[in-house]
Amino acid sequence: MGRSRWISVVVVTVAVVATPLAQGGSAPQPTSRSNGVKPDPKVDRLKNEAVAEVESMKDFTQQMVDSIFSFAELGFQEVETNRYLIDILKKNGFTVQEGIAGIPTAFMATWGSGKPVIALGSDIDGIPQASQKPGVAYHAPMIEGAPGHGEGHNSGQAVNVTAAIAVKKIMERDKIPGTIRIWPGTAEELVGTKAYFVREGFFKDVDIALFTHVSDNLSVSWGDRDGTGLVSVEYSFRGETAHSAGAPWRGRSALDAVELMNIGWNYRREHLPLDHRSHYVITNGGDQPNVVPRTASVWYYFRHTTYPRIKELWKTGDDIAKGAAMMTGTELASTRVLGSAWPQHFNRTVAEVTWANIKKVGMPAWSEADQTLAKALQKELGNQQQNGLTAKVGDELQGPVRDNRGGGSDDIGDISWNVPTVTLRFPSNIPGLPGHNWANAISMATPIAHKGATAGAKVQALTMIDLLLQPALVDQAWDYFRNVQTKAMKYEPLIRPDDKPAIELNKAVMERFRPELKKYYYDPSRYKTYLEQLGITYPTVKKP
Ligand SMILES: [Zn+2]
């Protein structure tokens, strides 16, 4: 890291007068801090301006959310999404380095100069088979079997780009030093890229990483987050073909090795820690039944709550794969890492600053139509709770997870162990959904997503202003990073030196569906919203 400017330990507490602002009306109340940073009327004035600026950009934000929704691209194939984002960023004065870290659909956009360097990131990829008409409260695919935004990754870039443009305007006018970076979480659903961004040095000079992710509320946390990290490994076996009926004894089946590996893993599962998660798909099961399968592959996700335990699971997987090869007289031809993610740990100072801004902005005001859609979907899914959308932000900032039972992963974990990072969660989705499913796409091109993204952009802009104008906060963030977070645990990549990004993943699926998807790309020059373009009445719900 090679930094020498991080100074003293300062206890940070941020007290805030909460005044909901998501609807754009009144100005934020002055912030009083006891974190060594004096209250500054200039900061408060610029914050008021930033909120007003983001509010004035809400159509732009909506267009971004709707456009990326309509592209519906899977990880590593975010071609239209990238072209669209890069175009907007260039038009707004950013310099864009394209195809970074050997990944065609990744970029690093930069504007400004000097310190601090603030890097804004958010994921962009969709979910297989999640195609869904927005604003319709039951399963109604736009294109049967096609990908869709069944996680809501179409909304995060709108949050960051809107915030960045609003803050840039103020920085230009007042000649405030600082550098803004914007980057995509390419192929996050494959946890496929962020470790490579780190390996290629893209976060070396970054002071603070502000990540953002869709949720059903405004929130942020510090310390170890719940959930897991993971390594994603594809095991490929090689045997020998033979006539499956004429001379099966001459053949050696690679598919047998895959099946025995899975059986071995599933027996072992009983003796693995309860807080681990593991799952697999067979990516190659052979060619046709009358030819003994010469090659076969199975793709595993090994998830656990700490780096050393992820490594242990991976070792167990490797041993079982070797055993399966021995049993079947095949060879283990390769173990390919297709993705990886460190468990996430977020910065205390940056989380406290963000939390103060969340309290200031508050939740959007949901309309009757928004609530009708949310409740109808919750009913459709058979949820016990059918309370609709969340009305207000939580009572307190979330600290470190106490009893981590495992769960999902995000490769923002890798960045969070290299620079002070937080994830701002913003309310563009409906509570109580299964995740990675068509249901999670329903709100994502509706006023729920639009208002949620605008609220998120306000918080992001306010946090940027805090960090730009109060260098002591950056120092405190690094003090926590160096003297608390990484005191006992240091980052070592899960990717091996020869591993490369798995950029060919999802290529065939996208080639198949893109011509159909193109017919539905959003055209903001003709339609105010994507719902309007699709001719969908908002909300569309089943008759009671
Ligand atoms: Zn996600």
Side-chain angles (χ1 to χ4, degrees):
M1 207 92 0
R3 283 164 203 265
S4 56
R5 61 194 168 88
W6 318 112
I7 329 161
S8 56
V9 179
V10 186
V11 177
V12 183
T13 51
V14 183
V16 164
V17 183
T19 306
L21 268 187
Q23 293 317 299
S26 56
Q29 297 299 301
T31 307
S32 67
R33 294 180 198 284
S34 54
N35 57 358
V37 179
K38 291 201 179 73
D40 184 344
K42 187 185 171 196
V43 174
D44 290 324
R45 178 173 55 79
L46 295 187
K47 283 179 147 183
N48 293 347
E49 289 180 16
V51 165
E53 192 62 38
V54 169
E55 181 67 23
S56 77
M57 291 169 72
K58 62 176 198 267
D59 291 349
F60 168 82
T61 310
Q62 167 254 314
Q63 286 174 10
M64 286 193 76
V65 169
D66 286 0
S67 296
I68 299 175
F69 182 93
S70 76
F71 300 145
E73 292 175 304
L74 294 173
F76 286 118
Q77 308 302 327
E78 307 96 331
V79 179
E80 303 283 355
T81 305
N82 254 43
R83 191 178 300 148
Y84 173 78
L85 288 170
I86 289 168
D87 190 43
I88 288 175
L89 289 164
K90 283 185 174 166
K91 273 189 194 137
N92 283 281
F94 281 75
T95 307
V96 184
Q97 194 181 346
E98 299 182 34
I100 63 165
I103 300 155
T105 53
F107 64 82
M108 187 62 73
T110 303
W111 178 85
S113 61
K115 291 276 183 182
V117 179
I118 300 173
L120 307 174
S122 196
D123 304 325
I124 55 172
D125 56 328
I127 296 286
Q129 307 209 25
S131 175
Q132 169 69 30
K133 289 180 183 161
V136 177
Y138 47 85
H139 191 202
M142 288 178 59
I143 302 165
E144 182 60 45
H149 273 290
E151 162 99 358
H153 285 178
N154 59 304
S155 54
Q157 288 291 332
V159 169
N160 285 342
V161 174
T162 303
I165 293 173
V167 171
K168 171 178 173 270
K169 203 168 164 183
I170 293 169
M171 289 170 76
E172 278 173 322
R173 187 196 64 199
D174 289 8
K175 303 195 170 38
I176 298 166
T179 304
I180 303 173
R181 297 252 166 83
I182 294 186
W183 57 276
T186 307
E188 190 283 328
E189 296 301 348
L190 302 160
V191 286
T193 58
K194 296 184 189 99
Y196 292 101
F197 296 162
V198 169
R199 185 168 87 180
E200 299 298 317
F202 283 98
F203 285 84
K204 273 223 164 88
D205 68 340
V206 169
D207 292 298
I208 304 287
L210 299 179
F211 194 66
T212 192
H213 194 281
V214 63
S215 177
D216 54 42
N217 203 337
L218 274 171
S219 69
V220 68
S221 66
W222 66 272
D224 283 333
R225 193 182 138 72
D226 62 351
T228 58
L230 71 81
V231 65
S232 148
V233 187
E234 186 181 50
Y235 293 90
S236 295
F237 298 89
R238 187 165 47 231
E240 190 49 88
T241 64
H243 195 300
S244 303
W249 47 87
R250 304 271 299 264
R252 294 290 179 269
S253 170
L255 177 61
D256 289 354
V258 163
E259 292 192 85
L260 286 169
M261 173 169 185
N262 295 344
I263 288 165
W265 184 265
N266 285 326
Y267 270 89
R268 185 64 170 263
R269 196 185 289 276
E270 180 187 350
H271 311 289
L272 293 172
L274 292 179
D275 44 357
H276 103 286
R277 298 276 194 286
S278 54
H279 17 260
Y280 56 83
V281 294
I282 296 173
T283 48
N284 173 10
D287 303 298
Q288 59 186 60
N290 65 338
V291 180
V292 172
R294 181 170 180 269
T295 57
S297 303
V298 59
W299 178 12
Y300 272 79
Y301 273 24
F302 300 120
R303 304 192 199 233
H304 214 315
T305 52
T306 66
Y307 168 78
R309 299 178 91 187
I310 297 164
K311 296 274 280 190
E312 277 170 34
L313 278 185
W314 187 1
K315 165 84 168 58
T316 303
D318 284 357
D319 287 346
I320 289 173
K322 283 176 204 155
M326 281 176 76
M327 281 190 275
T328 51
T330 61
E331 42 172 325
L332 177 57
S334 70
T335 64
R336 199 174 157 214
V337 172
L338 300 181
S340 68
W342 260 62
Q344 301 161 65
H345 185 111
F346 294 129
N347 189 272
R348 183 167 191 170
T349 305
V350 186
E352 284 171 336
V353 170
T354 305
W355 178 244
N357 292 326
I358 285 173
K359 298 295 269 187
K360 230 187 269 265
V361 169
M363 287 292 276
W366 306 119
S367 69
E368 186 82 35
D370 300 335
Q371 292 289 10
T372 302
L373 180 77
K375 287 177 187 167
L377 177 60
Q378 289 163 342
K379 186 175 175 211
E380 174 73 9
L381 295 172
N383 289 5
Q384 282 193 333
Q385 301 273 346
Q386 298 175 13
N387 301 330
L389 297 160
T390 313
K392 56 190 194 65
V393 298
D395 292 331
E396 54 189 42
L397 170 61
Q398 295 162 37
V401 59
R402 287 216 175 78
D403 182 19
N404 191 354
R405 303 283 179 90
S409 318
D410 189 315
D411 50 358
I412 190 61
D414 287 70
I415 291 166
S416 78
W417 284 94
N418 282 277
V419 295
T421 301
V422 299
T423 293
L424 163 68
R425 300 192 165 253
F426 59 92
S428 285
N429 220 322
I430 294 166
L433 309 187
H436 293 183
N437 182 266
W438 52 265
N440 292 64
I442 287 172
S443 74
M444 290 313 305
T446 71
I448 299 171
H450 305 147
K451 287 185 266 190
T454 291
K458 287 176 184 172
V459 176
Q460 205 72 312
L462 295 183
T463 303
M464 290 170 76
I465 295 214
D466 276 324
L467 296 169
L468 286 165
L469 288 149
Q470 301 165 98
L473 292 173
V474 178
D475 292 341
Q476 285 168 30
W478 275 95
D479 180 65
Y480 174 86
F481 181 84
R482 301 180 123 191
N483 298 318
V484 181
Q485 179 182 348
T486 61
K487 204 170 176 187
M489 175 74 78
K490 304 273 188 238
Y491 180 73
E492 285 173 68
L494 282 155
I495 49 172
R496 304 164 299 190
D498 293 335
D499 288 324
K500 288 191 179 66
I503 58 173
E504 81 290 355
L505 290 177
N506 293 321
K507 198 163 194 257
V509 179
M510 279 320 296
E511 271 169 12
R512 190 168 133 218
F513 285 109
R514 202 185 301 279
E516 269 303 295
L517 285 162
K518 267 193 174 139
K519 298 176 191 162
Y520 299 99
Y521 285 176
Y522 173 44
D523 180 358
S525 70
R526 293 179 60 199
Y527 301 98
K528 194 164 163 11
T529 67
Y530 193 42
L531 285 172
E532 189 186 307
Q533 176 171 334
L534 296 174
I536 292 171
T537 306
Y538 180 74
T540 298
V541 301
K542 283 183 180 167
K543 295 218 171 67

